[in-house]
């Protein structure tokens, strides 16, 4: 009789413990996402900026987004001669937390400095592809629209 009572007590305790874990899981916020966007195609600048905006909207802002730009696409972010639409869209995303990185190799090849780019950019000193690999090693999901 005692074994049966002990078994029931253990079973009841396990059920209670499991129930508490389910309740705790339901009340915690979802994990914050980390995403690295890779942009090198000049023709995809508006598309990628749109995807990033949708990402912020779709997650309610519960996301850390890094944008790594290299190659021809970097020219689209030069502060002189940029369209007001791209400039405004980019500035809004930076305000939402976008962390943009410009490939140092591309900047050197195109004779561009950080001061030539829109506000908010950081130099990816080791190169854009190295920065992408570093971000992935830090748990960022890689997206190349």
């Amino acid at each position: 009789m005692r074994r049966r009572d002990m078994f029931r007590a253990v079973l009841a305790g396990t059920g209670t413990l499991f129930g508490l874990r389910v309740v705790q899981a339901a009340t915690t916020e979802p994990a914050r996402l980390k995403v690295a966007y890779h942009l090198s195609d000049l023709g995809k600048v508006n598309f990628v900026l749109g995807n990033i905006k949708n990402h912020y909207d779709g997650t309610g802002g519960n996301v850390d987004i890094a944008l790594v730009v290299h190659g021809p696409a970097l020219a689209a972010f030069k502060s002189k001669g940029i369209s007001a639409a791209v400039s405004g869209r980019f500035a809004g995303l930076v305000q939402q937390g976008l962390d943009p990185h410009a490939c140092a190799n591309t900047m050197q090849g195109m004779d561009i400095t950080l001061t030539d780019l829109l506000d908010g950019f950081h130099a990816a000193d080791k190169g854009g592809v190295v920065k992408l690999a570093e971000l992935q090693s830090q748990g960022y999901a890689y997206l190349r629209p």
Side-chain angles (χ1 to χ4, degrees), residues 2-133:
R2 278 188 140 166
R3 286 185 185 176
R4 191 179 307 163
D5 291 338
M6 285 192 295
F7 177 72
R8 286 182 183 159
V10 168
L11 191 59
T14 303
T16 302
L17 185 59
F18 178 73
L20 284 174
R21 288 186 180 194
V22 170
V23 170
Q24 287 174 344
T27 59
T28 59
E29 290 186 29
R32 188 166 182 85
L33 299 173
K34 297 181 348 180
V35 181
Y37 277 84
H38 179 182
L39 176 60
S40 61
D41 299 327
L42 182 59
K44 291 188 176 182
V45 169
N46 282 313
F47 179 71
V48 170
L49 292 178
N51 278 333
I52 292 171
K53 180 176 182 348
N54 292 341
H55 214 136
Y56 279 120
D57 293 347
T59 61
N62 191 25
V63 62
D64 293 326
I65 300 178
L67 170 65
V68 180
V69 183
H70 69 99
L74 192 59
F77 296 96
K78 291 173 69 175
S79 56
K80 291 186 180 177
I82 192 168
S83 75
V86 170
S87 176
R89 188 178 231 181
F90 180 80
L93 293 172
V94 169
Q95 284 181 332
Q96 285 187 273
L98 179 65
D99 185 23
H101 300 269
C103 174
N105 297 327
T106 300
M107 289 192 315
Q108 183 180 8
M110 297 175 92
D111 197 26
I112 296 173
T113 65
L114 278 178
T115 57
D116 296 324
L117 298 172
L118 294 174
D119 288 339
F121 268 99
H122 309 284
D125 293 326
K126 298 176 187 173
V129 294
V130 173
K131 183 64 178 179
L132 286 165

